């Protein structure tokens, strides 16, 4: 976890030193004060290879416009994103906003699901243990089956649901209240229930000793959960929040046709499949666009002042 990632790293057994990479910075940009790393898919995979060989823990955030909007009203979530070892652009809106507010430095969109599959397909994942956490009943297990069949290098040592959504929602609300006021200690039966279930979950994951943890709770739950719990699972070298990826990989939801993926229209496909996402999509498109435009106007006003 930032701010102490290794500057460079020795490849185990090979004696070769991986060429120096500025592991802290990696072309950091900010959109509405939320971090994004302008790196290519290959560079992310190179970094992950190093993370997995290191002795420290890392997490990657796959950023979309909805998360940037959420971060404006949830300072704890913003902090969690900004402390991530890598924040990569999972959403065409992020690429456009960076172009508009900063520069051309985001080379491409890297979807959470694509990153997950690229890791599973890589050579460096050989001998590493993977744990799949989240999604609905039986979905993580189905995802594990699909991945095992498709990628001979993957070693999935555990898969299962997280904590029921309602209990996590209550916990999340309590965390936000606590962060904002910083004074209230909310002790309730809900919190106790959450802690009990979470301890069981951590215990289950620790038994499997995974190196890589994919968490599919949706944002911001997954990122906040990773941030709060990664230290309790010392074997983890890399954790990534992958949103609805298990639903797609398991076949529960059909993924957008390639042409839509190519043009960054996966959000539209998901809206067609799940019309109840309309509020979330509005947040991601209308609200995000407005906030970006307002930020640009503010920048122009400030720089044009004598
Ligand atoms: N999910 C979960 N726990 C929760 C809320 C959601 O495991 O408390 C799962 C849900 O079943 C789905 C996944 O999180 O499989 C992603 O949810 P969503 O579609 O909201 O995420 P997105 O892909 O939009 O980030």
């Amino acid at each position: 976890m930032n701010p102490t990632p290794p500057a460079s790293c020795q490849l185990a057994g090979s004696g070769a030193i991986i060429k120096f990479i500025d592991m802290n910075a990696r072309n950091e940009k900010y959109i509405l004060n939320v971090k994004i790393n302008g790196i290519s898919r290959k560079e992310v995979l190179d970094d992950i290879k190093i993370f997995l060989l290191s002795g420290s823990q890392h997490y990657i955030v796959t950023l979309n416009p909805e998360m940037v909007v959420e971060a404006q009203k949830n300072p704890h979530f913003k902090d969690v994103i900004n402390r991530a070892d890598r924040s990569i652009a999972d959403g065409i809106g992020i690429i456009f906003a960076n172009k508009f507010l900063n520069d051309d430095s985001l080379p491409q969109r890297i979807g959470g699901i694509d990153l997950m599959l690229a890791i599973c397909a890589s050579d460096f994942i050989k001998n590493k243990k993977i744990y799949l956490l989240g999604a609905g009943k039986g979905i993580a297990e189905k995802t594990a089956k699909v991945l095992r069949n498709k990628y001979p290098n993957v070693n999935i040592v555990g898969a299962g649901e997280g904590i029921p959504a309602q209990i996590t929602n209550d916990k999340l609300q309590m965390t936000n209240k606590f962060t904002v006021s910083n004074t209230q200690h909310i002790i309730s039966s809900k919190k106790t229930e959450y802690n009990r279930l979470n301890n069981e979950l951590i215990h289950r994951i620790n038994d499997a000793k995974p190196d890589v943890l994919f968490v599919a709770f949706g944002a911001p739950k997954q990122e906040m959960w990773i941030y709060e719990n990664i230290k309790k699972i010392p074997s983890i070298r890399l954790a990534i929040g992958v949103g609805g990826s298990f639903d797609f990989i398991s076949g529960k939801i059909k993924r957008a046709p390639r042409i839509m993926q190519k043009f960054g229209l996966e959000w539209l496909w998901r809206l067609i499949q799940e019309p109840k996402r309309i509020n979330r999509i509005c947040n991601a498109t209308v609200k995000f666009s407005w906030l970006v435009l307002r930020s640009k106007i503010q920048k122009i006003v400030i720089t044009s002042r004598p």
Side-chain angles (χ1 to χ4, degrees):
M1 283 155 70
N2 255 344
T4 51
S8 62
C9 171
Q10 184 139 12
L11 269 170
S14 72
I17 304 272
I18 295 170
K19 95 173 168 351
F20 177 81
I21 297 173
D22 181 353
M23 297 295 280
N24 278 315
R26 268 296 200 194
N27 197 17
E28 264 175 28
K29 305 283 162 182
Y30 285 81
I31 296 171
L32 305 172
N33 297 318
V34 178
K35 179 172 92 169
I36 181 81
N37 291 102
I39 48 180
S40 67
R41 185 184 142 104
K42 181 181 177 307
E43 286 168 329
V44 183
L45 289 170
D46 286 348
D47 290 353
I48 289 174
K49 187 172 172 180
I50 295 174
F51 292 163
L52 291 181
L53 292 169
S54 77
S56 49
Q57 300 196 293
H58 310 83
Y59 68 93
I60 294 181
V61 165
T62 57
L63 193 71
N64 62 36
E66 202 183 336
M67 291 162 75
V68 177
V69 173
E70 172 67 26
Q72 306 307 302
K73 53 178 197 269
N74 182 345
H76 178 51
F77 181 45
K78 188 193 285 179
D79 204 36
V80 169
I81 299 173
N82 290 348
R83 283 167 183 258
D85 296 278
R86 294 291 175 270
S87 165
I88 59 170
D90 175 6
I92 197 76
I94 298 291
I95 308 268
F96 287 144
N98 186 63
K99 218 174 206 171
F100 191 58
L101 293 175
N102 302 320
D103 52 31
D104 247 345
S105 61
L106 292 191
Q108 65 197 124
R109 173 178 171 254
I110 311 166
I113 182 170
D114 298 315
L115 183 60
M116 183 177 164
L117 295 178
I119 293 171
C120 291
S122 70
D123 281 338
F124 62 72
I125 204 65
K126 222 176 190 167
N127 304 321
K128 300 290 173 200
K129 297 180 197 160
I130 300 175
Y131 199 103
L132 307 180
L133 175 66
K137 206 168 182 46
I139 300 294
E141 291 84 343
K142 261 192 199 158
T143 306
K145 205 170 160 189
V146 172
L147 293 175
R148 280 187 193 115
N149 283 339
K150 200 161 176 203
Y151 302 104
N153 281 351
V154 303
N155 176 16
I156 297 170
V157 290
E161 270 178 282
I163 295 167
Q166 190 49 51
I167 298 176
T168 331
N169 289 347
D170 293 337
K171 162 70 172 49
L172 213 58
Q173 266 181 356
M174 289 189 275
T175 311
N176 291 347
K177 271 191 207 156
F178 184 76
T179 313
V180 171
S181 72
N182 221 11
T183 54
Q184 303 168 37
H185 284 271
I186 300 153
I187 299 162
S188 68
S189 59
K190 280 177 188 162
K191 194 169 178 182
T192 314
E193 177 66 350
Y194 176 86
N195 287 341
R196 188 183 66 76
L197 292 171
N198 201 47
N199 287 341
E200 279 176 18
L201 191 60
I202 300 285
H203 199 78
R204 218 165 41 237
I205 303 171
N206 267 327
D207 277 348
K209 292 196 171 51
D211 303 281
V212 178
L213 180 66
F214 292 115
V215 185
F217 296 163
K221 275 184 202 174
Q222 55 197 19
E223 289 77 17
M224 311 257 269
W225 188 89
I226 289 171
Y227 186 77
E228 275 175 29
N229 293 288
I230 191 168
K231 286 206 174 103
K232 299 176 199 160
I233 313 166
S235 64
I236 291 180
R237 291 290 154 265
L238 174 68
I240 310 180
V242 290
S245 301
F246 297 0
D247 293 332
F248 291 113
I249 297 170
S250 66
K252 184 187 167 206
I253 302 179
K254 205 169 158 358
R255 208 174 165 197
R258 266 193 196 287
I259 185 85
M260 287 182 97
Q261 291 177 33
K262 194 169 168 220
F263 288 103
L265 292 174
E266 266 192 281
W267 61 271
L268 182 60
W269 176 260
R270 289 196 79 178
L271 179 63
I272 296 165
Q273 297 230 340
E274 302 168 74
K276 63 176 193 291
R277 295 177 78 91
I278 186 76
N279 277 347
R280 295 181 51 179
I281 305 263
C282 273
N283 235 10
T285 48
V286 181
K287 209 162 177 182
F288 179 70
S289 306
W290 160 242
L291 292 174
V292 168
L293 181 65
R294 196 178 67 178
S295 168
K296 179 79 174 179
I297 294 168
Q298 282 166 347
K299 256 189 189 175
I300 293 170
V301 170
I302 290 168
T303 50
S304 63
R305 272 191 196 138

